[in-house]
Amino acid sequence: MNVFQARVDPDLVIAWESDAYRPTEQQLFALADVLWCNTNELMGIEKPRTLGQHRLARRFSVTVLAQSIGMDASEYVRAEERNRWAGSRRQTLHLLRALNISLHQLADATSQSHALGAAPSLTGRKPRWSRLWPGKPASPAAAAHDRVARSAEAG
């Protein structure tokens, strides 16, 4: 694993196997590469259930994922620790794309399934979650709103 810039000695591997030590993200990713397996297998899970497990399954470090979704890394860490997602609409879209998960999977991973219809929207109206998916506006008015929002973000 030294080839992957993750220094590991045999005693450390024994500690992992006996649950006396948890590998770092970099070590987990390098170990998956060396063993030609996915991180889920190394974590001993069939499918990701938490936000952190989804992130590790897609091989993102906290820093890289937070940067890619436009969020401060410490804010993202708090979301994982508290098991609550409070990102903006834009951050949520980027997170869903990066982790390749649906909004329902995100809600399940953060124990927020009950809040899908009750979360605040950017306009103060009750949200229509279908508006989160680009190219599939909920109505002609929503399509116009999305176009204005995209042009404001670009400019």
Side-chain angles (χ1 to χ4, degrees), residues 57-120:
R58 300 296 292 173
R59 294 182 176 215
F60 279 107
S61 68
V62 167
T63 306
V64 170
L65 182 60
Q67 183 179 16
S68 72
I69 65 174
M71 180 179 273
D72 182 66
S74 62
E75 186 179 351
Y76 180 82
V77 167
R78 277 192 304 278
E80 278 193 9
E81 288 173 348
R82 294 178 180 163
N83 203 31
R84 303 290 294 167
W85 180 251
S88 69
R89 178 177 178 231
R90 184 171 185 250
Q91 290 167 332
T92 302
L93 282 170
H94 288 297
L95 180 73
L96 296 175
R97 287 184 188 136
L99 298 181
N100 193 29
I101 61 174
S102 69
L103 184 60
H104 290 287
Q105 288 173 303
L106 174 62
D108 288 343
T110 57
S111 303
Q112 292 176 285
S113 295
H114 62 282
L116 272 178

Side-chain angles (χ1 to χ4, degrees), residues 128-148:
R128 300 218 25 208
W129 291 104
S130 61
R131 291 180 60 204
L132 283 174
W133 301 104
K136 296 183 182 180
S139 68
H145 174 76
D146 289 346
R147 282 193 297 279
V148 170

